[in-house]
Amino acid sequence: MKFAFSPLATWLLPGLIGLVVSCQPDADVLPGKVVPGTEVPSNFPAPVYGVEKNPPTRVAFELGRALFYDSRLSRTGEVSCGSCHQQFVAFANAGHRLSSGVDNQLGTRNAPALQNLRWKSTFFWDGGPKNIETMPLAPITNPLEMDETVDNVLRKLNADAHYQRRFSQVFGGTGPIDSYQFLRALAQFTASLTSSNSRYDHYARHEAGGTLTEAELRGLAVLRQKCSSCHAGELFTDESFRNNGLDRSFPLDSGRAHITRSSLDAGRFKVPSLRNVALTAPYMHDGRFNTLTEVLDHYDHGVVESATLDAQLRQPNRALGIPLSVEERQELLAFLATLSDEQFLHDPQLAKQ
């Protein structure tokens, strides 16, 4: 499941959401154990989706986790959210340019990493969904991904006595599980996917384990000088939509223009975060680059002109792109490796139980 935008999701309003819980706690539960990802790291900005919008509880988090890994959310019962969003690669899809959905159909975009979603106001490569709670509607209803209807998902959940007990435990009452509860519960898990404990984070917060080498520090300086107009701040993205010079025209995927219907947005895609970027290959909205070296080659000498090419890549008195010396590339790659968050990648609380 790639969480790629589907027009089928637009008719469902943000009020379709809910949390959930289990009669018996999952295996990782300990008395007093808190929901992961609920505290705002001191080097992060305030989240868009604060905890007050969907107050975290342990039982609701566990219910959301069960839903995330449940393949019954797809038409064939073979594809879950976790099928294409794998924890060990920051909930991206390891080694897949495009992910396989139901009946082994390939989607049209690369599966983005699911991390730090609390800080986003739009989602997917084109920014179609605008609420973390309604975000799953697109992949669930996309015929190339999970190819299911919300009504059918709810029928399956309501036919399962265990899910009925868990939802009742979270939301109370004896009525059937509804779309509000289902989506709000799933958001309890996706909102918990906070990556904030890389070696860089320890450096930024002056914590133990935060030592960076001279090469890594030079790479950070290169990033701030040459890349931070897009990969800004502690989240390493300004959440904007930009044309980074991949193509001269956009007959197959117009990017942001798919949502806005404006020719000014043709070829513009969401700037991805650089967190855990060393692990989330392949890269770009269509997964065309297999390595970060290929990505840097593109920015150095592979950018192509088009009507909506970002101004940062079309500076006066220089060729298109971002010139990078051999040393700058090596230093930048060294720094990017410090953004890998081993705690996030291996937290047992985020794994399938």
Side-chain angles (χ1 to χ4, degrees):
M1 178 178 68
K2 296 169 293 306
F3 281 71
F5 174 73
S6 166
L8 296 175
T10 60
W11 56 271
L12 280 161
L13 299 175
L16 303 174
I17 306 156
L19 305 173
V20 162
V21 120
S22 65
C23 264
Q24 297 296 325
D26 287 346
D28 66 292
V29 176
L30 295 174
K33 199 166 190 179
V34 300
V35 177
T38 55
E39 295 184 0
V40 177
S42 62
N43 58 320
F44 275 32
V48 174
Y49 188 72
V51 295
E52 73 283 353
K53 295 183 179 180
N54 189 355
T57 67
R58 189 70 205 182
V59 288
F61 163 79
E62 291 168 4
L63 177 56
R65 180 178 59 197
L67 294 167
F68 184 86
Y69 289 108
D70 195 335
S71 60
R72 286 177 292 180
L73 270 59
S74 67
R75 173 178 58 81
T76 61
E78 297 175 337
V79 179
S80 71
C81 305
S83 297
C84 303
H85 295 285
Q86 301 162 308
Q87 182 185 2
F88 73 98
V89 286
F91 293 93
N93 199 183
H96 285 71
R97 189 175 75 84
L98 305 173
S99 300
S100 297
V102 296
D103 302 323
N104 292 316
Q105 298 181 95
L106 288 179
T108 59
R109 292 177 181 166
N110 179 255
L114 299 185
Q115 54 185 342
N116 300 328
L117 301 183
R118 282 191 183 277
W119 285 266
K120 295 181 180 294
S121 57
T122 61
F123 300 86
F124 308 163
W125 287 104
D126 57 22
K130 294 178 172 60
N131 188 300
I132 191 174
E133 295 174 346
T134 55
M135 175 181 66
L137 296 173
I140 288 173
T141 59
N142 190 311
L144 299 178
E145 299 187 36
M146 302 174 86
D147 193 29
E148 188 55 287
T149 68
V150 174
D151 285 346
N152 281 343
V153 169
L154 294 177
R155 275 194 282 272
K156 295 174 191 178
L157 297 179
N158 279 296
D160 186 318
H162 183 55
Y163 267 130
Q164 286 184 331
R165 289 193 296 271
R166 298 184 77 172
F167 273 91
S168 178
Q169 189 175 358
V170 173
F171 296 104
T174 58
I177 301 164
D178 60 28
S179 56
Y180 173 86
Q181 296 171 343
F182 163 61
L183 292 170
R184 199 163 171 85
L186 194 49
Q188 282 261 331
F189 180 74
T190 56
S192 76
L193 302 178
T194 300
S195 179
S196 62
N197 285 297
S198 67
R199 187 152 53 90
Y200 165 77
D201 289 301
H202 298 310
Y203 164 81
R205 296 193 295 258
H206 307 289
E207 296 171 347
T211 301
L212 300 187
T213 67
E214 289 299 317
E216 292 164 349
L217 288 170
R218 289 194 297 270
L220 173 57
V222 172
L223 185 141
R224 287 174 172 168
Q225 177 188 2
K226 297 193 172 185
C227 312
S228 63
S229 59
C230 299
H231 296 289
E234 294 298 275
L235 297 174
F236 294 91
T237 173
D238 65 355
E239 294 294 321
S240 65
F241 300 88
R242 299 179 187 248
N243 175 351
N244 63 343
L246 294 174
D247 300 296
R248 298 187 187 280
S249 61
F250 319 100
L252 298 180
D253 193 340
S254 62
R256 181 65 173 160
H258 176 66
I259 303 303
T260 65
R261 306 301 181 187
S262 170
S263 61
L264 298 177
D265 286 325
R268 290 178 173 165
F269 294 87
K270 173 71 75 71
V271 174
S273 172
L274 297 179
R275 286 182 170 275
N276 295 297
V277 71
L279 304 167
T280 57
Y283 304 101
M284 305 299 169
H285 69 277
D286 55 4
R288 68 178 64 188
F289 298 136
N290 291 317
T291 67
L292 285 175
T293 298
E294 292 178 16
V295 172
L296 298 185
D297 286 345
H298 165 73
Y299 284 115
D300 180 68
H301 56 262
V303 171
V304 299
E305 178 67 89
S306 66
T308 60
L309 179 66
D310 194 84
Q312 296 295 328
L313 302 176
R314 194 194 285 121
Q315 294 291 323
N317 303 317
R318 80 176 195 203
L320 296 178
I322 302 172
L324 293 165
S325 68
V326 172
E327 292 77 14
E328 286 174 327
R329 293 191 201 191
Q330 292 173 341
E331 292 162 354
L332 192 52
L333 290 171
F335 171 72
L336 292 177
T338 73
L339 296 176
S340 297
D341 182 352
E342 294 298 322
Q343 179 176 324
F344 175 66
L345 302 174
H346 302 291
D347 186 346
Q349 298 183 84
L350 304 179
K352 184 177 181 179
Q353 301 300 301

